[in-house]
Amino acid sequence: MAVTQIDSRLPGFRDLAPDARRGALGETVGLTAAQADQLAGDALPLATADGMIENVVGRFELPLGVATNFQVNGRDVLVPMAVEEPSVVAAASFMAKIARANGGFTAESTAPVMRGQIQLLGVTDLDVAEAALHAATDEIVSLANTTDQALLALGGGCIGIDVQRFADTAVGPMLVLHLLVDVRDAMGANTVNTKAELVAPLAERLTGCEARLRILSNLADKRLVTARVALDLDTLTTADLAGRAVAQGIVEACAFAEVDLYRAATHNKGIMNGIDPVVLATGNDWRAIEAGAHAWAACSGRYTALTRWRIESDDRLHGEITLPMAIGLVGGATRTHPAAQAALAVLKPATANELAEVIASVGLAQNMAALRALATEGIQRGHMALHARNIAIAAGATGEAVSTVAAALVAGGDISVDAARRLIDAG
C-alpha cells in the first residue's frame, strides 16, 4: 500500500496549544477525527483495560508528544513518543533536523526471525543428542508449522533450528533446541511459544532427554535493525564551538562508552530514552526491547555502547546503531489499545521492519543529542530548562503562568519548587 509523502518539519508546531497541534498533526498525516481524539488521552475504555491485565483499578497516562523533522530512507515521518522525561522529544526533533539537512537517516533490517528455546536435561551424550536433533530438522520444522496456518500463508513460519550445548551447568549437561521462526509483522511471542510447546515432546523422543522450559528468547539476534547517519561537520557548529570540535567531542564521548562499563550503561540508557517512548506509544513490549538491547550490548562478553561515532575519511561524522528489534504491527496492545492504533496511523509503517527502522533512527538521534550536549554545554543546561516547566507545575502554576514561571526559574538559575513558589506568590 502506497503511503502519501508528508513533510515532517511542521514549522511552528511547538508554538501551538495541544489541541491545535493535534489538529495540525491530523491534517498532515490524514487522521480521522476519531483517531485524532484517541491521541488526546482517555482513549482506553476501562472495560478494555480490565480485559488486558489483572486486578485493574484504573488507567495511567503519560504525556504523548510527536517528534518532528525525521526522514528515514527518504520518507518523512512524524514519530509519536510516550514519555515523561523532559527534553527527549525536543532533543530527538532537533537532531532529526540536523540529520535531514544531511540526507536524513538510512536504515535496514533483517528478516523478523525469533528464537523459541526448548531446554533439554538429563543428557547422557551431548554429541549423540545434538546429532539426533540436526538429523530431524525437517521433521521438527514440519511439526512446528502445523500451527498458525495464517502465518504460513503470509510467508512466515518455522524456517530452521539451532542447537546450543552446555556441558557443565548447575543441573548437569544441558542441550537447548532453538526453533527459528519468521513471525512477519508480529512481535511473535505467542506463536513462538506455541510452537515450542508443540515440538518439546518430539525433542524428548529424539534425544531421550527431558524437556523443561519452552519459551521464546528476547535476545532477537536474528531480527536486527541498523540505522546510520552521516553529517557534514559544519552542520554541528554551535554559537561557541566549531562543528569539527563538536564532532570530535561526540567521538570522544562514544569512545568512553565503548570501553567503560559504567559509562556504557548511561550511554545506552540515553539511546533507550528515544526508543522506549516510540515502542510504548505503538503498544509494543518495551521491556522485551530493553532486554534484547542490553543483552546485545553484552554479546561480545563485555557490555559496551550500542552506537559507534567516527569521523571518517570523507571528513564527515558517521553514526551507527545496531540492535535487536522485536516489534509488531499485529497482536497484543497494538490491536487492543485505541491510542496505539492512532499512533501507528501517524507513523504509517508498511511493515514491522519499517517501524523498527524508524525506532532505531530515533534511538540514534537521541544518542546524538546526548553526546552533543555532553560535548558542548553539558547535559543539564538544556534538560533543566525544560524540567523547569515540571517544577513550575509542581509548585502550583497553571495556564500561561507555567511558561512565565519556568522562564524566570531558568533566568534566575534556581530551578526548584521553593523558587517557583516564591515567583508565584510574587505574582
Side-chain angles (χ1 to χ4, degrees), residues 59 61 96 122 136 141 154 159 173 176 183 198 248 256 274 312 335 337 374 403:
R59 294 150 297 182
E61 290 190 331
V141 170
L154 293 170
I159 61 172
V176 183
V183 297
L198 179 65
Q248 184 61 33
F256 182 12
E312 301 288 3
R335 287 301 183 208
H337 200 305
L374 287 166
S403 295

Side-chain angles (χ1 to χ4, degrees), residues 374-389:
L374 287 166
T376 55
E377 64 187 14
I379 202 73
Q380 281 299 85
R381 180 178 171 186
H383 180 81
M384 292 305 292
L386 289 165
H387 184 55
R389 294 181 59 85

Side-chain angles (χ1 to χ4, degrees), residues 49-58:
D50 192 38
M52 292 173 69
I53 66 168
E54 303 76 31
N55 298 343
V56 167
V57 296

Side-chain angles (χ1 to χ4, degrees), residues 162-203:
D162 190 13
V163 182
Q164 295 192 352
R165 51 192 288 165
F166 303 93
D168 185 17
T169 80
V171 292
M174 183 186 304
L175 210 60
V176 183
L177 170 62
H178 287 201
L179 302 181
L180 306 179
V181 184
D182 184 330
V183 297
R184 298 286 85 195
D185 282 333
M187 184 272 182
N190 288 334
T191 191
V192 170
N193 290 341
T194 298
K195 291 180 186 299
E197 292 280 358
L198 179 65
V199 169
L202 173 59

Side-chain angles (χ1 to χ4, degrees), residues 97-182:
K97 184 177 182 179
I98 293 175
R100 76 177 293 129
N102 291 271
F105 297 91
T106 58
E108 60 194 40
S109 49
T110 62
V113 175
M114 299 291 289
R115 291 179 183 266
Q117 296 183 293
I118 301 171
Q119 177 194 29
L120 297 166
L121 298 177
V123 187
T124 56
D125 190 318
L126 285 169
D127 292 332
V128 171
E130 181 178 359
L133 291 172
H134 282 300
T137 295
D138 290 346
E139 183 182 2
I140 292 169
V141 170
S142 179
L143 176 61
N145 282 332
T146 59
T147 67
D148 205 341
Q149 296 303 300
L151 180 61
L152 279 175
L154 293 170
C158 186
I159 61 172
I161 70 167
D162 190 13
V163 182
Q164 295 192 352
R165 51 192 288 165
F166 303 93
D168 185 17
T169 80
V171 292
M174 183 186 304
L175 210 60
V176 183
L177 170 62
H178 287 201
L179 302 181
L180 306 179
V181 184
D182 184 330

Side-chain angles (χ1 to χ4, degrees), residues 388-406 420-421 424:
R389 294 181 59 85
N390 282 344
I391 295 296
I393 293 169
T398 59
E400 294 182 0
V402 173
S403 295
T404 302
V405 171
R421 285 175 177 156
I424 293 169

